[in-house]
Each structure stands twice: as C-alpha cells, then as structure tokens.
C-alpha cells in the first residue's frame, strides 16, 4: 500500500512538473510574441462607402513597398512616430494612428480625406498642373485613386492656376460653397460642374436643363441659393426646363434669366 501511495505521489510530481514546464513554455512564447510584431491589423475609417485606399495600400506605405518589413520585427526597433509620418506623406491619408496591443499586434488606423469636388483639365484653361485631383473638406488637394472614383462635381477654371489649395482664409468662401452643395441633397444631385474664373466668379452647370447658373463671387450664399430655389420651384415649372440658357443671381434682389 505504501508503494502504491509512493507511485501516485511520483506520478503527481511528474505531471505537475510537465504542466509547469508547458506553462513556462507558453508564457515564454506569449512574452516573445508581445515583444515582436505578430500581425498588422489595419482599420480604415471609410466615409460614405468611399474606398480611396485599401489595406494593401496601407501596408505598402508602411513598409515602403516591402523594402522595410514589419512582421516579426522587434518592437524595440519599431518607431511608431516614423510609421505615422510615413503614412501621412501620402495624399490619400488624412489622419492616422499607429499603436500596439497586448497580443503583439500592430494596430494601424487610417482615415482618408473626404472629397467635395474634382479638379479637371478643361480645354484652354490653366489648371493642368493641378488637374486630376480632388478637393477635400479641409480645402487641400489630394490625388485620384485607382481604387475608387467619387461622385462629386467637376471643378475647373483659370482661378486654380494660382491657387493650389482652398485651405487659406482667402479661399474659404469657395470652400464653403462646395460644402454647401455637398451637404444639400438637392444641390448635390443637381450641380455637376463648376468653373471659377481668374477673378473668383463662379458659374455652375446643372444635371437637368440647358442653362448655366452664374453665381458671381461665392459670397452671400444664403440669398443667392434662395433665388436659385425660387427659380427651380416657380419659374422653371411655368416656363419649361429649356426656356433659358443663362441664369444670373449675383445681383441683390434680382434674378436675371435669358
């Protein structure tokens, strides 16, 4: 009986030792995983279903097209600020944050810019250096994407030959106009193109009808859009959609229709 008890005790010690060894190995593996980049988890804050950038794009930006691999890299060699700077160098990244979790995963959160309009090259204009870009909510120009084309108004004109951004206070009225169109479901569906001349005067073209809308400088927008709404709700239904080719609302208390 004593021999049986001794055998059981030996077996329990052996099993306990093996269990302790397995726990130690598992703990060592976990600690090793926490010290190295186990995986890269990319989270994209897409806006309105827009997919300007993909997870693959983000990985290419982070690793410089694979020339600076991250997976398996020791966290002591990972410079989070440098990775964020590397991401922000690309125009399709508005904001980003790089961090890590307790499992050893590198977390990358990216927010693309939101477009209000798309700059295009029109015949004989002077926007060739900036054409083919979008205008963001912040007024900055960012490149088109191979992954996605946004449905936003086209924007052109000599004004952009000397204005490479709408982020300045001087250009805020024009940026406010683009935001107003984007935020109103009627104007977002109706306005398909805008042209801005060298003096900053805006002409808009609608989706329906053969007329152009002459807004003048993008100031006093409340009054001007009220007149345009009056034109669409009262004048066009009575006269017909093709009755006019030019509608001017830049003058106070006037709607000029020709």
């Amino acid at each position: 009986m004593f021999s049986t008890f001794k055998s059981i005790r030996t077996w329990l010690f052996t099993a306990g030792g093996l269990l302790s060894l397995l726990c130690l190995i598992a703990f060592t593996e976990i600690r090793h995983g926490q010290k190295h980049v186990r995986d890269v988890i990319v989270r994209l804050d897409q806006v309105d279903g827009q997919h300007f950038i993909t997870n693959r794009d983000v990985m290419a930006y982070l690793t410089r097209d694979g020339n600076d691999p991250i997976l398996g890299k020791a966290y002591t060699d990972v410079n989070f600020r440098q990775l964020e700077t590397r991401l922000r160098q690309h125009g399709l990244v508005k904001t980003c944050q790089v961090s890590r979790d307790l499992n050893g995963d590198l977390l990358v959160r990216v927010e693309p810019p939101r477009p209000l309009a798309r700059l295009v090259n029109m015949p004989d204009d002077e926007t060739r250096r900036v054409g083919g870009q979008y205008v963001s909510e912040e007024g900055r120009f960012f490149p088109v994407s191979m992954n996605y084309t946004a449905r936003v108004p086209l924007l052109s004109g000599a004004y952009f030959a000397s204005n490479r951004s709408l982020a300045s206070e001087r250009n805020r009225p024009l940026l406010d106009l683009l935001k107003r169109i984007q935020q109103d479901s009627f104007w977002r569906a109706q306005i398909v193109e805008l042209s801005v001349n060298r003096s900053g005067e805006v002409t808009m073209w609608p989706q329906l009808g053969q007329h152009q809308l002459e807004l003048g400088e993008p100031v006093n927008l409340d009054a001007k859009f009220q007149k345009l709404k009056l034109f669409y709700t009262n004048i066009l239904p009575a006269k017909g959609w093709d009755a006019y080719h030019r509608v001017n609302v830049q003058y106070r208390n006037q709607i000029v229709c020709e």
Side-chain angles (χ1 to χ4, degrees):
M1 181 175 178
F2 179 78
S3 177
T4 302
F5 176 76
K6 185 177 180 181
S7 297
I8 293 174
R9 187 174 64 175
T10 302
W11 182 86
L12 289 174
F13 273 118
T14 302
L18 288 173
L19 182 61
S20 299
L21 180 61
L22 290 174
C23 290
L24 180 61
I25 293 173
F27 178 76
T28 302
E29 288 295 322
I30 291 173
R31 293 290 295 175
H32 178 76
Q34 289 175 336
K35 291 180 179 179
H36 293 75
V37 179
R38 189 184 70 168
D39 195 8
V40 179
I41 300 175
V42 178
R43 296 172 181 169
L44 296 175
D45 296 336
Q46 304 289 4
V47 180
D48 298 335
Q50 297 168 354
H51 301 279
F52 287 110
I53 191 171
T54 66
N55 289 22
R56 180 178 294 181
D57 295 328
V58 174
M59 286 300 298
Y61 298 160
L62 282 173
T63 63
R64 293 187 174 177
D65 293 324
N67 293 315
D68 185 11
I70 295 178
L71 286 177
K73 195 171 187 177
Y75 271 109
T76 53
D77 297 328
V78 176
N79 188 324
F80 294 91
R81 182 170 296 180
Q82 182 186 63
L83 292 178
E84 290 175 351
T85 300
R86 192 177 291 179
L87 285 172
R88 283 193 292 266
Q89 289 175 344
H90 295 271
L92 292 174
V93 175
K94 174 184 174 183
T95 61
C96 64
Q97 183 179 26
V98 179
S99 59
R100 58 167 294 187
D101 63 14
L102 295 178
N103 295 322
D105 295 330
L106 189 73
L107 306 179
V108 183
R109 194 181 195 97
V110 173
E111 180 186 0
R114 184 174 184 174
L116 296 178
R118 180 173 178 174
L119 281 161
V120 294
N121 295 328
M122 302 301 288
D124 301 323
D125 73 16
E126 301 177 44
T127 63
R128 295 193 180 278
R129 292 186 181 181
V130 294
Q133 300 186 74
Y134 289 107
V135 181
S136 74
E137 286 185 317
E138 295 73 35
R140 304 190 183 280
F141 297 170
F142 67 95
V144 297
S145 168
M146 298 294 292
N147 304 308
Y148 180 81
T149 301
R151 289 191 60 185
V152 291
L154 302 179
L155 188 61
S156 65
Y159 187 78
F160 300 101
S162 57
N163 290 274
R164 306 300 170 82
S165 168
L166 300 184
S168 65
E169 190 65 29
R170 174 177 179 267
N171 289 319
R172 182 165 297 278
L174 181 54
L175 185 63
D176 289 342
L177 169 62
L178 296 176
K179 288 181 179 180
R180 191 184 190 100
I181 293 172
Q182 195 276 332
Q183 293 167 0
D184 187 292
S185 59
F186 176 81
W187 297 118
R188 186 169 63 246
Q190 180 67 345
I191 303 301
V192 296
E193 186 177 334
L194 301 91
S195 179
V196 188
N197 66 19
R198 191 177 298 278
S199 301
E201 296 178 333
V202 179
T203 300
M204 306 188 299
W205 284 268
Q207 177 77 30
L208 300 175
Q210 302 299 318
H211 50 274
Q212 64 183 41
L213 307 173
E214 298 175 0
L215 204 66
E217 293 184 4
V219 296
N220 302 321
L221 293 180
D222 287 340
K224 291 179 179 180
F225 273 93
Q226 284 178 3
K227 287 188 284 186
L228 286 176
K229 213 60 174 284
L230 179 65
F231 171 76
Y232 277 103
T233 56
N234 292 3
I235 299 176
L236 276 186
K239 298 293 185 178
W241 283 89
D242 297 325
Y244 303 103
H245 68 274
R246 173 176 170 265
V247 179
N248 190 307
V249 295
Q250 65 179 309
Y251 304 111
R252 186 176 181 181
N253 299 324
Q254 290 185 25
I255 301 178
V256 179
C257 302
E258 296 180 351

